[in-house]
Structure formats: C-alpha cells, structure tokens
Amino acid sequence: MKPAGRFDPAEVEPRWTRAWREAGVGHADPGGDAPGFAIAIPPPNITGALHIGHALNNTIQDLLIRTRRMAGDETMWICGTDHAGIATQAVVEKALAAEGISRKELGREEFVRRVWDWKDHSGGTIIGQLSRMGCTLDYARERFTMDDAYADAVLHVFVDLYEKGHIYRDRYMVNWDPGLGSAISDLEVEEREATDTLVSIAYPLSDGSGEIVVATVRPETMLGDTAVAVNPSDERYRDLIGRTVTLPLVGREIPIVGDDYVQVDFGTGALKVTPAHDANDFEIGRRHDLEAINVIGEDGRMTAAAGDAYAGLTPAECQAKVVTDLRAQGLIRAEEPYTHTVPFSQRSGARVEPLVSLQWFCDMTRLAQPAIAAVEEGRVRFTPAKWGEVYLTWMREIRPWCVSRQLWWGHQLPVYYKGDAVYVGKTAPEGEGWTRDEDVLDTWFSSALWPFATLGWPAETPELAKFYPTQVLSTARDIIFLWVARMVMMGIEYTGTEPFSEVYIHPVVQAADGRRMSKSLGTGVDPMDIIETSGADALRFGMMMMSSTQDVRFSADRIDQGRQLVTKLWNAARLVVDRGGRAGLDTPAPESLADRWIASRITAAIEQSRELVEGFQLSALADLVYHLVFDDYCDWYLELLKAGEATPEIAGDALEQLLALAHPMMPFVTEECWSRTPGARGLMATHAPPRPPGPRDEAAEAEMAQVQEVVTALRAYRSSRNLPPRTPLLMSPAPHPSVAALDAVSEAPADAVPTLVASLLADGRSILLGTTAEDVDPEVERARLADELATATSEAERARRKLADTRFVERAPAHLVDAERDKAARYEAERDALAARIAALG
C-alpha cells in the first residue's frame, strides 16, 4: 500500500505505540534461546515529568535496545520508577498545606497512606510520556523501589550489611537541611556564589602574653570552637603549638594544635576549629581528639550550647550579635569582603548546615575495593574514558555513607530500640517495649540495588538468570558517585559480578544561551511540546544530533532537521512504491552506475554505523543517517530512478535497508513506511538489522562523484545567469549519460562548439557551455571570465610562491606539499582555459 498524503505524527505515532505493546515488542522472554541483552533504566522519580535530559538519555537507551533486538537478541529494558523520598514527601506536604494541614498533624501512618494515594493517581506520568516517545521498555514488568518484593530486598541488604559490621550508628558530619529537618545527600546540595565578610578575630593567649588572630566568614560558629589550628611548618606560630587561648565571648580555654591541613597563605594562617560545623574541622577534631559542640541545632537555630545570649537566634542573627559583641570588646582586627561558595538545599532552599548528627552510616571501605578493581581491570568501562578516572578518584577516597534520613516517606529502617538495646532485623523483635527507628533510608540506598532487585533478587528468578548482569548503563555524570559507584559495589557484593560492563555518560543539554535548563529561569524546554508540534521522531533525531562527548546547547534547528528527515523518508517511500519498488524480492545484483553506487554507499554506512553505535558516537550516527537519506538516496539516487538510470528492485531493497538503519533512531516513520511497502512482512521493530545491498564499489563511487561534481557545476552555472533549471544546454565534451539524465544538457554538435561562449571547470577539466551565441552577451561573459581569470592567476601564483619556499617543501608534511602542488596545477589549468575562452570571444 503506497504511503499516501502527508505524514501526520499525531495520528501515526500513538497508533504504533499501541501496536508495539499489543505485539509484545519490549516484553522479554527469559526462556528464549537468543542471547540476553539488558539495560536498566535510571528510574525516574514518581514526582517527575519528562524533561530534555530524560528525552536524551531514553532515546539513547531505546536506540541501543532496538538495535540489539533487530540483531536477534532477547532484550529487556528494565522499566520502573523511584520513590524519591525527599521530592515526593515535599510534593505531598505542599498539597496538605493547601488544605491547611501539616504532616505532623496528620500523623505518620495517615501521611504515608496519602503519599501512596498520590503515587497511584499521579506517579505514573513520566512512564506514559516515555511510551509516547516510542521507548520500548518492558512495561509489563514495571517496578517501583517501594513495591513489596523490592522493599524486601532492601531490608535484606540493610540487615546483612549490619550483621557484617558495615552499617553502624554514630555521630558524624552530615549535610543538614533545616528546611526539611533531615540530612540530605551531596546531590541535593547546590553551591551558590556569595560575598560575605571575612572577619579577623583576636583570640587572647590564656597566659596573657599575646594573641593569635583567626579569620572566618562564620563568626557565629566560633561559639563552638574547641581549638585553633596552625601549620607546624609555619614559623610564625610553631612555638605556640601546645599552648591555649581563651575563646572570646565564651571564656573556654582551647588548645593550639599543629595540623598540616592548615594553609599558611590563607587569611592569617591560623584556623579556628569547629568540629561540629565544618567537615574539614571535623576531621581535624578526630585527629586531635577534640570535642564537637553543636551550637546550631537541627531546627536551624542556635542551641543552648551557644550560650544564653545567643540561644534561639538564627545563625544570621547570631552572626550580627557576635560581631557587635566582639567589636565592643576590641577583638575585631580586620573586616573585608570575601567571595566564596555557600551550600544550599535544592529541595527546601535553606542554607545547608554541616553539623554532627547521630545517624546510621555504612562503612564503604571494604565494599569499594572490588568496585575499584572492576574499573581498573576493564570489567567496567566508562565512555568517555575520563569519567572512569573521576570514578576511581572518588572511590579511592571514599568516606562513610550516611544512609538515614529524617523523613516519613521511604524504606523505614529495620531498627528497633528498647532502652539501650538495639535490634536490627527484617521483622520486629518479640516482646513488648520495642520502638522502631522513625528514620528512613537514603533513596540512593534502594536505588543501588536496581539492576538486580528489579529482576527478583534475592530470589533466583528466570529473569535474573537471563538478564543479569545487564550490558549497558547510560546516565548523567552528576550521579556517578551517588548511584553508579554504589550499584557496582552492591552488585559485586550480592551477585558476585558487576551489574553492567559499559557505562556511557551522556552530555548535559544546556539552554540555547548556555545557561542551565530550568523552569524557574525560564530556560526549560518541554519535550512533550516538541512531540506535539514536530513529532517524537523529530525529537529523537534532534536529541541524537545533540549527543556528543561535550555538554551541548539545545538547538531547535536540530529538531527541525529531524522533522525534515521524517518528511524526506516519507516522500521517498511514496516515490519508490509508486515506481514499483517493493520488499521481499530476490533482488538482482546492481548493474547500473546508480544502483551500484547506492548499494555501495548504504553498505559503507551500515559498516560505519556498527562502529559508531559500539563507540557511543551517536551524533555522528545521526549525521550519517541524515546525509545518507537526504543527500545520497533522495537528492541523487531517486532523481536517477525517476530518470530511468536506476531500477525499482534495487530502489526498493535500498529503501528497506535505509528504514532498518534509521529505525532505532526514528521508529515511527520507519515503521509506517515499512507497513505501506508492498511485500513487507512483520514489524520493522523486529526486522533483521540492515543488510548490505551490495558490495563496496569504489569505482562506482568515484564515477558517481564525477557526475555529482559536473551536475553541481551546471546548476551553479544556471543559477549565476538566472536561467530556469531545465533550460536546455549544449556541452562540449559530451556529458556522462547520468549527467544528461539529471540535467537538461546534451552534446554540442561540432559546428556549434564555436558558439559556446561560457565555460566552467568540473571533474578536473574545462567544459564549454551554451545554448546559442545569442543567449549570452559576449561582453558580459568576457567581463565575467576576466574576473575569474584574475582570481585563478592570483591563486596559481600564490601556490607557486609557496612551493618555491624550500623551508615549506622540506619541513611541511608530505600530504600538505602534495596538496599545494595539486592546487597550483588546478589553478594553472583553470587560468589557461579561461584565457582560451576569452580569446575565443574575440
């Protein structure tokens, strides 16, 4: 059935989405004989809607899955969503606030029920959007990080790590979000540049013999100082190590300690040490056995430990009062502006307070070692490779992981207390009086199990046996530590093997002006809007054109290229079918120049495409497909088909291979074209991979390149003279048959050659052109030729001067010298031909 009319994405794309689902495309069979190939989707948050980053990454994954499915593998693209503890709790709390109810007024049990209700009604938005994009996930096996089986796996791992001694409770430095009232991960911390006042404060030596001056941008934290640190190599302070100072405003005697961490050239070279409120100070405190005094509480206000004069104030209020009080005592030595980065919570917007808190931690030291070896020994490979080095640097310096969060939505810790007794287990302990810990696990703890828990682990399921380990992970660089590294560690610990062998770190798509994409900044782009206006294929193609090893700015032009390519493919299929092309024929070997050439071009592209996919060079793949379809097949080959220089059988076979090549990137238009091709069987989604329609034919490609050069020159000639495209031209020497087929040009009779007043250079030779002598004004042509002669003469002389320079000839690479010789010869030939034509005009 011939493709008819205009291609309408709004009608076609949802129809094929339904057809693929009904046909089971994407639903994996773990009992099949074909080799397994699996990708675990980075689970989107249930609060999320599709954004450009999702569009990019999921197009990449679907391209890989479709490619392997067409190659005959049994593919599983693991589908599911993440419960996203902080984000989801915030959304539901906001909804409650609109009703005038707080979480605490509702109570934990009812609040959690409300979150489940919200999840059931609104949490599947992004999965539906992925389906609309054409993503062939295994939707029938959709998982959720808090479904019953998954939750059981999470508790299993927590209890096991506790019993192995890796999980423990301790007071340690965390990122505290006063707005949420919870510790948060590094991912939820946003560094913002701020200009504060660097205050230099005199700390009097306790014996009254002098003072030591420290510099800080947070004078309010001095109330919790328990030491002053100096570098032991600093001659200014070396003799003070071991003595004490009296902490201003507080009166506490604190020691002066020597520590190599202190930078001699920063500030005064003396560092106030507040172990409870600075990560570096915390480490100094541990090295020197210093007390950690919390003077900022979990509510974001100063604690009683800060002293009666300051307790209850906000840190900003306290800072102002501390500076005023120090100034009154004459202890301020200097104040100057200081620009630095300050941590803020992405979730609540509050300033993050580093503070020491009683939390549950996981010691990652032993778990990290095999995960380091996996990358060092090449069992897990990063593309681009630089991200492997980033991974290793972090892993070699890994610190304890705070796994507890002060939230209600999430996996509640399987920890129970009765007095001083602590019980950890998947089920509550027997007996009365036990109270369960109210904290939940960090979302990334459950996400770390994603590649195997989604397949039924710890049960030994057919899915786990067939599809674990997965083959590829495609993700963003900002979660290499938070997610990728932890999946590698947990995968090795609980399955004995790495969860994937390839990690592709895709680029970040920025706004068109280079800023980050953000709704609040007004720089966001909604992929669903693009699908609405241009179709999913255009979006997918545009995202692949923007997929590179570097961050890339969003380009509407790339989306438009995709839209144009969809139209081009659709119209090409209509033309080929109209000319008798069909599928399923025993295609004869190509014989004509056009057929041999297109077969060779497609064969070359298929070979190159395999290398590009394996190397994740997806923008190059998109570019390859674009030019093969747009330039080679449509602009040249189909024109030769219309001119009778190509055969419908080869045209139909070539179309089939082009559709198969483009399908993983642009599934909808290729599926629709295939369904309307006579003789087509089955779905393009399950079609065999593109097959080379013929051998590489370098002779045909070289000959066709000559044809293209002459035809391009003829078209430029007409354009420069404002001649209609099909104006008949006479040409000497005789045109190649394919040139004559593509252009209204014929061989000039011998007696007409003197009347051909125009000339051009193409295919390395001088060509004479014209209709009749009266059609071209000799004076105008002579002036034009004179200008061209002057240019050719100048270029020939410049090339010869360069070749006369012995330093260039002797020192430049041989290919550059050869190129310069070719250039000189070409311009000299053009110069001579132009001079001859001017002479012929009289």
Side-chain angles (χ1 to χ4, degrees), residues 1 582-585 656 659 671 673-684 687:
M1 178 174 59
R582 55 180 290 119
L585 295 175
E656 180 176 351
L659 294 176
E671 194 74 83
C673 288
W674 178 242
S675 73
R676 292 173 176 268
T677 302
R681 294 182 179 179
L683 294 168
M684 183 54 68
H687 190 282

Side-chain angles (χ1 to χ4, degrees), residues 81-145:
T81 52
D82 192 282
H83 66 278
I86 293 175
T88 305
Q89 179 160 319
V91 167
V92 177
E93 285 199 70
K94 185 176 181 180
L96 289 175
E99 301 175 25
I101 307 172
S102 73
R103 165 170 62 102
K104 293 182 179 178
E105 289 172 334
L106 203 60
R108 180 169 191 146
E109 184 176 343
E110 178 61 18
F111 176 79
V112 170
R113 189 191 67 77
R114 288 281 193 107
V115 180
W116 277 108
D117 286 346
W118 181 91
K119 185 263 179 186
D120 292 340
H121 287 93
S122 305
T125 299
I126 195 166
I127 296 297
Q129 292 174 327
L130 291 173
S131 177
R132 179 64 185 86
M133 263 187 66
C135 295
T136 48
L137 290 141
D138 195 340
Y139 295 102
R141 290 188 174 92
E142 181 180 340
R143 299 300 304 272
F144 178 52
T145 52

Side-chain angles (χ1 to χ4, degrees), residues 571-589:
N571 290 335
R574 296 180 66 206
L575 173 65
V576 170
V577 171
D578 189 55
R579 298 280 169 158
R582 55 180 290 119
L585 295 175
D586 291 330
T587 309

Side-chain angles (χ1 to χ4, degrees), residues 92 251 301 509 606 780:
V92 177
R301 292 183 175 271
V509 182
I606 291 171
V780 173

Side-chain angles (χ1 to χ4, degrees), residues 801-814 817 821:
R801 283 197 303 272
K802 195 168 184 179
L803 290 168
D805 184 347
T806 55
R807 291 176 299 177
F808 169 73
V809 175
E810 293 173 358
R811 298 177 185 176
V817 177
R821 290 194 178 108

Side-chain angles (χ1 to χ4, degrees), residues 25 102 250 369 553 609 673:
V25 174
S102 73
V250 177
Q369 297 313 306
R553 296 185 179 191
S609 70
C673 288

Side-chain angles (χ1 to χ4, degrees), residues 38-56:
I39 295 175
I41 189 174
N45 293 350
I46 56 171
T47 59
L50 196 70
H51 58 59
I52 283 293
H54 291 132
L56 171 65

